[in-house]
């Protein structure tokens, strides 16, 4: 996978992550992003293009060296009306692009932080999990 192809995958991931968070929160979220890596030094980006570039810079090295397990946590909506996402990488060695831990293509694992979840949506119900599965946001069927 080329770097440009990987960046397109990140853009698709951000759109899916937004939808994922909307389903968990039960409300529409803004279409602007803020991102922060959970490293010793906090590296931040604002705006979809900058977020995409920052993720690519840390996760993609070349077509056969991509970190395989990266948590993307939707933390909250900021005062500036952006979706705040934080990122953490597991300690696995980079490898070829492929099916990740979540069973989706690529390294990204979608996580909902406490600032997004709400009691409005029963996120533990079988119906909710099946809806995520049908939308391609969960890659195992709960049936």
């Amino acid at each position: 996978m080329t770097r440009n192809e990987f960046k397109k995958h990140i853009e698709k991931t951000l759109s899916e992550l937004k939808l994922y968070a909307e389903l968990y929160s039960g409300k529409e979220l803004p279409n602007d992003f803020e991102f922060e890596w959970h490293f010793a030094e906090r590296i931040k980006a604002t705006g979809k293009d900058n977020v995409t570039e920052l993720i690519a810079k840390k996760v993609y090295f070349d077509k056969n060296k991509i970190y395989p397990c990266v948590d993307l946590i939707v933390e909250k909506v900021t005062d500036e009306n952006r979706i705040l996402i934080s990122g953490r990488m597991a300690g696995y060695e980079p490898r070829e692009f492929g099916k990740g831990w979540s069973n989706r293509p690529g390294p990204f694992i979608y996580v909902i932080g406490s600032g997004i979840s709400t009691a409005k949506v029963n996120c533990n119900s079988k119906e909710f999990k099946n809806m995520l599965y049908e939308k391609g946001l969960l890659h195992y069927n709960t049936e």
Side-chain angles (χ1 to χ4, degrees):
M1 171 173 272
T2 68
R3 189 171 198 282
N4 281 339
E5 290 170 332
F6 189 69
K7 285 177 70 174
K8 289 202 182 308
H9 179 73
I10 295 169
E11 290 170 4
K12 179 179 184 277
T13 295
L14 291 174
S15 295
E16 286 183 353
L17 193 57
K18 176 184 181 245
L19 174 60
Y20 192 71
E22 287 176 335
L23 295 170
Y24 268 88
S25 67
K27 62 183 179 185
E28 190 173 333
L29 299 177
N31 202 29
D32 196 10
F33 299 90
E34 200 170 307
F35 183 84
E36 178 178 71
W37 280 114
H38 277 247
F39 296 135
E41 66 176 277
R42 302 268 178 169
I43 305 167
K44 299 180 181 183
T46 302
K48 192 171 190 173
D49 291 342
N50 293 329
V51 168
T52 299
E53 182 60 36
L54 180 59
I55 293 171
K57 186 184 246 182
K58 291 291 181 187
V59 177
Y60 183 93
F61 293 98
D62 72 37
K63 66 180 182 172
N64 296 317
K65 290 180 82 177
I66 301 168
Y67 276 106
C69 189
V70 179
D71 292 342
L72 297 178
I73 305 111
V74 180
E75 301 286 357
K76 66 180 183 176
V77 174
T78 67
D79 292 340
E80 294 80 19
N81 204 33
R82 294 186 198 107
I83 301 171
L84 175 61
I85 301 167
S86 62
R88 291 187 302 232
M89 290 193 296
Y92 300 104
E93 289 296 314
R95 58 189 72 160
E96 282 184 63
F97 184 89
K99 190 184 285 189
W101 180 85
S102 66
N103 219 16
R104 278 190 305 277
F108 303 115
I109 299 161
Y110 302 167
V111 182
I112 299 297
S114 61
I116 290 292
S117 47
T118 171
K120 271 178 27 178
V121 179
N122 182 358
C123 302
N124 295 315
S125 74
K126 186 176 182 180
E127 294 78 17
F128 184 79
K129 303 273 186 198
N130 284 336
M131 182 212 21
L132 292 177
Y133 176 77
E134 289 167 10
K135 292 184 179 297
L137 299 171
L138 185 68
H139 282 266
Y140 64 87
N141 197 337
T142 60
E143 307 245 23

